[in-house]
Amino acid sequence: MRIVILTGAGISAESGVATFRDADGLWEGHNVQEVATPDGFLANPDLVLRFYDERRANLATVEPNAAHLALAELEQRLGDDVLVVTQNVDDLHERAGSKNVIHMHGQLRSALCMACDERFTWDAPMANDPACPGCAVPSLRPDIVWFGEIPYRMNEIQDALLAADVFVAIGTSSEVYPAAGFVALASEVGARTVELNLHPSRMSSHFHEVMEGPASEVVPRWVRELA
Ligand code: OAD
């Protein structure tokens, strides 16, 4: 049974990572155009670098929760048949033990050099314009997919969706494409589709099954029931 699991900010909410669109979400108080677009970065790189520096530093204060752990256990049980495609830029899936993870929107703990195009594991701040470890040019940016940029590894994701028997979306508002369209594709090729969310999302009616509740409860339950 091949399972593709799409995760969004809701899976990390109970770990203490802010979601984007809930009340007190990350975008409240932040202008998305300023901190999450290439134009915003060009206009005010310092503001953008500091925004992601803060979020990167916050990773040290949070831990995976029962939902991340349940998905890691599922992968241990079923191996390569389980793929996590996450929109999250935190590293909580990896810290829970998941190995087969695609970060379609990039990662906080990665730096991308705009001069040499190389990526580097990055835990330090970037607002002080550090030199690229590869080419020495001080031209690093967060390795995050901003609005207007193309998500990573879309070919692999599409292949996995086309071969999926089960597609599960966890803790995502389904407001952002292409991820919001994955349920339609998976459904079209015959996968059973399940949504796990605190509240129904705008895509709920497209799923065969919807389980409402906090991720730390519904994800372990769904994994148990799958056994
Ligand atoms: P959103 O903030 O849009 O949605 C969070 C979802 O999580 C909502 O549907 C909530 O109902 C749900 N939720 C909140 N707490 C939960 C809990 N404890 N258990 C289960 N569900 C819970 O976040 P995303 O859908 O991930 O992109 O946002 C998608 C993309 O928009 C992000 O990756 C980001 C943003 O712009 C980039 O930065 C490129």
Side-chain angles (χ1 to χ4, degrees):
M1 180 171 49
R2 280 166 293 195
I3 306 174
V4 177
I5 302 161
L6 172 70
T7 64
I11 196 169
S12 296
E14 290 161 86
S15 293
V17 182
T19 62
F20 294 93
R21 295 177 182 78
D22 293 312
D24 76 11
L26 196 54
W27 292 151
E28 231 180 47
H30 287 101
N31 182 333
V32 179
Q33 291 302 321
E34 280 178 3
V35 297
T37 65
D39 284 349
F41 183 57
L42 274 178
N44 194 345
D46 200 48
L47 172 84
V48 176
L49 293 174
R50 276 189 283 114
F51 175 75
Y52 292 99
D53 282 355
E54 251 173 53
R55 300 183 58 206
R56 191 178 311 104
N58 186 52
L59 290 183
T61 70
V62 300
E63 296 286 339
N65 65 52
H68 301 100
L69 293 167
L71 297 185
E73 272 169 40
L74 186 67
E75 184 186 313
Q76 253 180 4
R77 211 160 78 207
L78 300 180
D80 283 346
D81 282 349
V82 176
L83 171 66
V84 172
V85 177
T86 188
Q87 300 166 86
N88 298 344
V89 294
D90 65 48
D91 61 349
L92 295 179
H93 284 303
E94 286 84 355
R95 279 158 59 190
S98 287
K99 297 198 164 43
N100 210 9
V101 182
I102 294 181
H103 281 271
M104 62 179 291
H105 289 168
Q107 287 180 263
L108 282 167
R109 297 184 61 205
S110 175
L112 174 63
C113 178
M114 293 176 291
C116 71
D117 239 12
E118 291 290 319
R119 294 188 158 76
F120 305 90
T121 301
W122 202 265
D123 287 315
M126 277 185 213
N128 52 346
D129 279 333
C132 167
C135 70
V137 177
S139 202
L140 296 177
R141 61 163 271 186
D143 191 8
I144 304 275
V145 176
W146 287 323
F147 288 98
E149 296 182 321
I150 298 166
Y152 295 150
R153 299 172 66 181
M154 283 306 297
N155 289 342
E156 281 170 78
I157 296 171
Q158 181 160 321
D159 288 350
L161 287 168
L162 292 175
D165 300 301
V166 178
F167 171 75
V168 191
I170 304 173
T172 176
S173 62
S174 297
E175 293 286 345
V176 176
Y177 282 84
F182 291 173
V183 60
L185 182 58
S187 203
E188 217 169 277
V189 296
R192 174 157 189 82
T193 58
V194 185
E195 175 174 79
L196 311 181
N197 201 310
L198 196 53
H199 309 293
S201 76
R202 62 188 283 275
M203 281 293 170
S204 288
S205 63
H206 294 257
F207 288 83
H208 295 114
E209 191 185 339
V210 177
M211 285 168 78
E212 274 182 60
S216 67
E217 289 173 22
V218 289
V219 177
R221 193 189 327 145
W222 172 75
V223 167
R224 268 198 311 275
E225 285 171 5
L226 201 67

